Amino acid sequence: MDATIQTTALTHHGAKRMLQAAVEAAEKSGQPQCIVIVEASGQLIAEIRMTGAKFLSRKSAKSKALTAASLGVPSADAPDAVRPAIGAATGGAVTVLPGGLPIIVDGVLVGGIGVGSGTGAQDIDVAQAALAAIGAPL
Amino acid sequence: MDATIQTTALTHHGAKRMLQAAVEAAEKSGQPQCIVIVEASGQLIAEIRMTGAKFLSRKSAKSKALTAASLGVPSADAPDAVRPAIGAATGGAVTVLPGGLPIIVDGVLVGGIGVGSGTGAQDIDVAQAALAAIGAPL
Amino acid sequence: MDATIQTTALTHHGAKRMLQAAVEAAEKSGQPQCIVIVEASGQLIAEIRMTGAKFLSRKSAKSKALTAASLGVPSADAPDAVRPAIGAATGGAVTVLPGGLPIIVDGVLVGGIGVGSGTGAQDIDVAQAALAAIGAPL
Amino acid sequence: MDATIQTTALTHHGAKRMLQAAVEAAEKSGQPQCIVIVEASGQLIAEIRMTGAKFLSRKSAKSKALTAASLGVPSADAPDAVRPAIGAATGGAVTVLPGGLPIIVDGVLVGGIGVGSGTGAQDIDVAQAALAAIGAPL
């Protein structure tokens, strides 16, 4: 392996389009949401807490985004066997709560989005609306 | 939606009355308590640790207050399905321990109160005494 | 004083408009920025880290936003006498770095915006563009 | 020295009286304050953030209370030589900002009170009003 590689990174333009679509989907559903978008490294790119969303859902939405960005799969898909242990071992950063989806562009994992404040199904719907806004697979 | 909305906020006068009633109820019961009152954003307004209360209950009382203020329901009422996961994903901020009650005035969620150091029933009694002191529904 | 008061709160719609205007101003200047918007309590409403911005500026932008929201004046305007001491005593939350501005609507302090990654002048320009977007005084 | 000693401890009753007097003094002055009372160990007994006080002053008021309780002298009296170094070495817990006073009863250091949000003089006035309420020397 060479000392460096070419990679793909999510821009703030991509994140803004995702945020916009997520907010619109949440408004349509009537459930205000906390929405967090992180890049592949886990570093935050964008976040919004909608008026009326649960403020502690900022934390769970962040964990969902981190989990999806780290594992490359939806947060709810972590293997059953490791669920409590992995959460504890990562200080809660890895969560199996639904609403975290990986952001994959051209087959490259470029980050994760986490949504929290609604039911699991509502959270996933909003995250999927965000992915659709940049043509990423759901 | 406009850039701003009109809303209702708990004052320190309200919080002081709640604290006073909570302390009196705890003294009457013979069980010293830790009592924490936060506003709707989660920011602390008032706290007291009674002589003889468990000092670590300051932390659980804070989590109970935050949980009730964020969810708008008693801390013990979080849905069964998410209980362990949501606690982990929020670094312990969301708790299902009894003793956290939302503070609702004129139908507006203005904060949360958390009480800890006694049994669940004692904690709830003290929190309810505090709500009664400002005419908030129990 | 009653147990509650009526007040004004910044919505996510207002924050989104501010974020949009701030990003546009930063793109026009050619200097990517970290932008953080908090409500009057200090609780975060929205954040974006533009592609190419310094990632540690997320922290200073947050401190600038908190400082402006707490003091009700630009972060750079803290009194000379207390500058180093107040920063230390608040764990760095109070900063005198330029780029934090209070968000004032109809005379009410509803939050703060913090911008970091450029020069002080660039940071302030971007924060002012955000305030202008919701008609708040600069 | 024996394995144990008799000592004097501040109760929540004492702290409540101090809080009440501090709030009244602050209201009289027209400057809302953050007020923190800790026992001799540094553990918090009581805190209030008055409506309109700067929320970040919760942190500096806490540091002032801790400083006074730890040193046994007013926070502003720390020796010049160690001021920046001691603040840094304690993560900001030791501060030289005015507004922290030791609580001394019958010659025993039983805690500290920290007040923040006003000018140094206003902060000290409020702290002194609290001490007077339990007959402690100013």
Side-chain angles (χ1 to χ4, degrees):
Chain A
M1 186 186 271
D2 289 335
T4 58
I5 52 169
Q6 293 304 304
T7 186
T8 302
L10 184 65
T11 65
H12 71 276
H13 274 250
K16 266 180 55 192
R17 269 193 270 155
M18 293 179 70
L19 218 55
Q20 178 63 29
V23 168
E24 283 172 12
E27 287 175 343
K28 201 169 160 189
S29 80
Q31 173 60 54
Q33 296 276 14
C34 292
I35 302 154
V36 175
I37 297 171
V38 301
E39 63 178 28
S41 72
Q43 182 71 265
L44 185 138
I45 302 182
E47 175 171 355
I48 199 159
R49 175 174 56 89
M50 294 171 64
T51 306
K54 304 174 181 84
F55 62 84
L56 289 180
S57 296
R58 281 187 59 210
K59 292 174 189 267
S60 48
K62 178 98 185 271
S63 290
K64 292 173 187 181
L66 290 172
T67 299
S70 179
L71 275 63
V73 296
S75 54
D77 289 3
D80 276 340
V82 303
R83 290 180 170 221
I86 195 74
T90 57
V94 172
T95 182
V96 298
L97 291 169
L101 296 181
I103 307 171
I104 296 171
V105 175
D106 296 335
V108 180
L109 177 64
V110 298
I113 178 168
V115 179
S117 224
T119 63
Q122 285 173 323
D123 296 351
I124 291 173
D125 280 351
V126 168
Q128 287 183 329
L131 292 178
I134 59 164
L138 310 187
Chain B
M1 186 186 272
D2 288 334
T4 56
I5 51 170
Q6 293 306 302
T7 186
T8 302
L10 184 64
T11 64
H12 70 278
H13 274 248
K16 266 180 56 192
R17 272 195 267 155
M18 293 179 70
L19 218 55
Q20 179 62 30
V23 168
E24 283 172 11
E27 288 174 342
K28 200 169 162 189
S29 79
Q31 173 59 53
Q33 296 277 15
C34 292
I35 302 153
V36 175
I37 298 170
V38 301
E39 63 178 26
S41 71
Q43 181 72 264
L44 186 138
I45 302 183
E47 175 172 353
I48 199 159
R49 175 175 57 89
M50 292 171 65
T51 306
K54 305 175 182 83
F55 64 84
L56 289 181
S57 296
R58 282 187 57 210
K59 292 174 189 270
S60 49
K62 178 100 186 270
S63 290
K64 292 173 188 181
L66 290 172
T67 298
S70 180
L71 275 64
V73 296
S75 53
D77 289 2
D80 276 341
V82 302
R83 290 180 169 223
I86 195 74
T90 57
V94 172
T95 181
V96 298
L97 290 169
L101 296 181
I103 308 170
I104 295 171
V105 175
D106 296 335
V108 180
L109 177 64
V110 298
I113 179 169
V115 179
S117 225
T119 63
Q122 286 173 322
D123 296 351
I124 291 173
D125 280 351
V126 168
Q128 287 182 330
L131 292 179
I134 59 164
L138 311 187
Chain C
M1 185 185 273
D2 289 333
T4 57
I5 51 168
Q6 293 305 303
T7 187
T8 302
L10 184 64
T11 64
H12 71 277
H13 274 248
K16 266 179 57 188
R17 271 195 266 156
M18 293 180 70
L19 217 57
Q20 178 64 30
V23 168
E24 282 172 10
E27 287 174 342
K28 201 170 161 189
S29 79
Q31 174 59 53
Q33 296 276 18
C34 292
I35 302 152
V36 174
I37 298 170
V38 302
E39 63 179 26
S41 71
Q43 181 73 264
L44 186 138
I45 302 183
E47 174 172 355
I48 199 160
R49 175 175 56 88
M50 293 171 65
T51 306
K54 306 174 182 84
F55 64 86
L56 288 181
S57 296
R58 283 187 57 210
K59 291 174 190 271
S60 50
K62 178 101 186 269
S63 290
K64 293 174 187 181
L66 289 173
T67 299
S70 180
L71 274 63
V73 297
S75 52
D77 289 3
D80 276 340
V82 302
R83 289 180 169 222
I86 195 75
T90 57
V94 172
T95 181
V96 297
L97 291 169
L101 296 181
I103 307 171
I104 296 171
V105 175
D106 297 335
V108 180
L109 177 64
V110 298
I113 178 169
V115 179
S117 224
T119 63
Q122 286 174 322
D123 295 351
I124 291 172
D125 280 350
V126 168
Q128 288 183 330
L131 292 178
I134 60 164
L138 311 186
Chain D
M1 187 185 272
D2 289 335
T4 58
I5 53 170
Q6 292 305 303
T7 186
T8 304
L10 184 63
T11 64
H12 71 276
H13 274 250
K16 266 180 56 191
R17 270 193 271 155
M18 293 180 70
L19 217 55
Q20 178 64 30
V23 168
E24 281 172 12
E27 287 174 344
K28 200 170 161 189
S29 80
Q31 173 60 52
Q33 296 277 16
C34 293
I35 302 152
V36 175
I37 298 170
V38 301
E39 63 178 27
S41 71
Q43 181 71 265
L44 186 138
I45 302 182
E47 175 172 354
I48 199 159
R49 175 174 56 88
M50 292 172 65
T51 306
K54 304 174 182 85
F55 62 84
L56 290 180
S57 297
R58 282 187 58 211
K59 292 174 190 267
S60 48
K62 177 102 187 267
S63 290
K64 292 173 187 180
L66 289 172
T67 300
S70 178
L71 275 63
V73 297
S75 53
D77 289 2
D80 276 340
V82 304
R83 289 179 170 223
I86 196 74
T90 57
V94 172
T95 183
V96 298
L97 291 170
L101 297 181
I103 307 171
I104 295 171
V105 175
D106 296 335
V108 180
L109 176 65
V110 297
I113 178 169
V115 179
S117 225
T119 64
Q122 287 173 320
D123 296 351
I124 291 173
D125 280 350
V126 168
Q128 287 183 330
L131 292 179
I134 59 165
L138 311 187

